[in-house]
Amino acid sequence: MGELMSSLPSQDEDTDKVKEKVDSTIYIKDILDTFKDSINTLSATEKAQLEAIKDMRIHMMLDEENSNMNMDFLLDFKNVSDLQNIKEKVELASKLQEKKSDTKTNLENHEVKYEFKKKSFARKVTMKKMSTEEQEAFDKQQENNQMFMSGSMYSLIYHFPRKIKSTSLAGAKISQNGKTLSYSIAMDEIIQDPKVLDFTVKFK
C-alpha cells in the first residue's frame, strides 16, 4: 500500500509532528471475543463465515516517514481446501480489523479453486453466472475501485514442500531452492480476465 499512501496529498500541515510508525499483529479471535454478544444475534450463515476466519492474523507495518505500509493476512491451514474463498475471508477480516459494521464482502464474478496432489498443484478460476442485477452492481463496483487498482500490481507467492519441476505460468520465477513460485501481473489484466491466473505446477 506504500505507493497509494505516497500518492495521497498530505492533510497534515504540522511539519513538526512525529511521523507514525506501527508494527503490530492483530488476532481475529480477539476481535470476535470482544463482540461475541453481537455475534450471537447473527444468522447461522454469518456465524459460519466468522468461524472460518477466527484463526486468521493480521500483521500491519506502517512507516509514514518512508511512505511504507504493508498488511499481511496470515492463516495456517492443514488442507488446501481451507483456502477456498480466501479472498472473501481476507476482505471480511479486514473489515473486522477496521471495526466496520457492514461485513458483507464485495461481489465477485469468479471463484478460485485449488487442487494439491503428490505430483501436482493447480489453481483454477471458474466464472460465476450472474443475474442482470448482479452484473450491473459488479460493474459499478469495479468502476468505483478503478482509481485504486489502476497501476497496481498483483503478486502471487507459493511455497511448496516439494521441488518444482515445471509450471504452466509463463514468466513465473522459481526460487533457488526450487520450492517457491512467484509471479506478478498488472491488476488491470486480472480485472479484464481473471482466468489469466489459471496455472498448474508439476513437482519432481
Side-chain angles (χ1 to χ4, degrees):
M1 294 181 167
E3 291 185 18
L4 175 61
M5 189 172 72
S6 62
S7 67
L8 296 175
S10 176
Q11 301 296 321
D12 181 19
E13 297 181 357
D14 185 1
T15 57
D16 294 328
K17 182 181 177 181
V18 177
K19 299 293 185 180
E20 186 176 7
K21 279 193 175 185
V22 175
D23 184 352
S24 64
T25 299
I26 300 163
Y27 293 83
I28 295 300
K29 63 180 180 181
D30 290 342
I31 299 177
L32 297 181
D33 286 341
T34 300
F35 297 103
K36 60 184 177 181
D37 291 338
S38 298
I39 292 172
N40 286 334
T41 65
L42 299 177
S43 66
T45 299
E46 291 171 320
K47 288 179 180 177
Q49 290 176 330
L50 294 174
E51 179 69 18
I53 65 167
K54 69 175 184 178
D55 294 324
M56 189 174 284
R57 311 177 305 281
I58 304 173
H59 180 216
M60 182 174 180
M61 295 189 67
L62 171 66
D63 184 349
E64 287 187 335
E65 184 175 0
N66 296 303
S67 296
N68 291 328
M69 182 177 179
N70 294 295
M71 292 181 69
D72 296 322
F73 292 81
L74 311 170
L75 178 65
D76 298 326
F77 59 95
K78 294 181 179 179
N79 193 297
V80 72
S81 63
D82 296 337
L83 296 179
Q84 308 303 343
N85 303 318
I86 188 64
K87 186 176 181 181
E88 288 84 353
K89 291 178 182 178
V90 167
E91 187 178 342
L92 180 55
S94 180
K95 289 184 177 182
L96 284 176
Q97 180 264 329
E98 295 170 7
K99 295 181 174 59
K100 290 186 178 180
S101 57
D102 179 13
T103 56
K104 292 183 179 179
T105 55
N106 290 326
L107 277 172
E108 291 292 343
N109 67 344
H110 65 280
E111 293 180 334
V112 181
K113 294 186 178 181
Y114 306 89
E115 185 179 79
F116 184 67
K117 297 180 179 180
K118 186 175 182 179
K119 290 289 186 177
S120 66
F121 169 85
R123 181 187 192 276
K124 184 173 179 59
V125 174
T126 303
M127 303 305 294
K128 291 182 180 178
K129 290 183 178 180
M130 305 180 76
S131 65
T132 301
E133 292 77 11
E134 287 175 331
Q135 186 64 55
E136 289 176 352
F138 176 78
D139 292 341
K140 184 176 181 180
Q141 172 185 291
Q142 294 299 82
E143 184 179 345
N144 292 336
N145 291 337
Q146 191 63 41
M147 65 175 289
F148 299 104
M149 296 180 180
S150 181
S152 297
M153 298 296 292
Y154 186 86
S155 297
L156 295 177
I157 302 175
Y158 288 85
H159 304 285
F160 297 107
R162 306 181 185 94
K163 288 190 175 182
I164 299 168
K165 180 180 180 181
S166 63
T167 178
S168 64
L169 192 57
K173 296 181 179 179
I174 309 300
S175 65
Q176 193 170 8
N177 69 2
K179 294 183 177 182
T180 299
L181 176 148
S182 58
Y183 180 73
S184 294
I185 185 173
M187 186 71 78
D188 292 342
E189 292 187 46
I190 305 174
I191 294 173
Q192 294 172 9
D193 180 15
K195 291 183 73 65
V196 295
L197 288 180
D198 274 2
F199 73 94
T200 58
V201 170
K202 291 184 178 180
F203 303 113
K204 293 181 179 180

